[in-house]
Amino acid sequence: MVKLVVTDKDGRDVEIDARPGLSIMENIRQLPRSVEAICGGLCSCATCHVLLDDEAMRRVPPRRYEERVMLETSRAFDPQRSRLSCQIKVTAELEGLRLTVAPDED
Ligand code: FES
């Protein structure tokens, strides 16, 4: 298992033991006040939007073009910090990664 620290939509930090090989989205969607992930990981909804700090951004693989395009549809898009959590696979290298669930789009 890989420890992740998730700040939920209420600003609470929740530590989870994530399953490697699954995406971050698949590991955090069951938390209350977390991502909705409406499309189930198909990179077509942006409801799995999370924000990473600089250090975390350096530890994850770069965005693909399709992810960037989908993120740009989000009002909370931050070019420096935004990622789709369904597009990042959990690996041992991500131990201790911190991420924040993006605010609702209303
Ligand atoms: S779950 Fe829909 S884009 Fe990630």
Side-chain angles (χ1 to χ4, degrees):
M1 292 299 206
V2 179
K3 189 162 295 182
L4 301 179
V5 182
V6 183
T7 303
D8 70 15
K9 288 180 183 173
D10 292 332
R12 276 192 306 255
D13 286 346
V14 183
E15 206 171 274
I16 66 163
D17 290 319
R19 188 180 296 271
L22 298 181
S23 69
I24 290 179
M25 176 277 281
E26 291 169 302
N27 276 286
I28 69 173
R29 71 187 304 187
Q30 80 283 358
L31 298 172
R33 307 293 293 147
S34 185
V35 297
E36 292 178 52
I38 290 169
C39 80
L42 299 176
C43 198
S44 61
C45 73
T47 61
C48 66
H49 186 180
V50 294
L51 300 165
L52 276 57
D53 64 16
D54 287 348
E55 192 260 341
M57 278 300 237
R58 282 193 292 274
R59 295 177 62 193
V60 298
R63 297 181 195 105
R64 290 179 306 123
Y65 174 75
E66 295 80 2
E67 180 181 350
R68 169 85 187 202
V69 168
M70 188 51 57
L71 280 166
E72 286 175 348
T73 68
S74 170
R75 269 210 298 275
F77 175 60
D78 180 332
Q80 309 302 322
R81 302 183 63 208
S82 288
R83 292 301 306 259
L84 294 179
S85 58
C86 71
Q87 300 299 301
I88 305 172
K89 193 168 280 191
V90 173
T91 62
E93 290 72 37
L94 299 187
E95 174 69 28
L97 192 85
R98 302 184 74 93
L99 56 114
T100 299
V101 177
D104 288 328
E105 294 274 320
D106 43 44

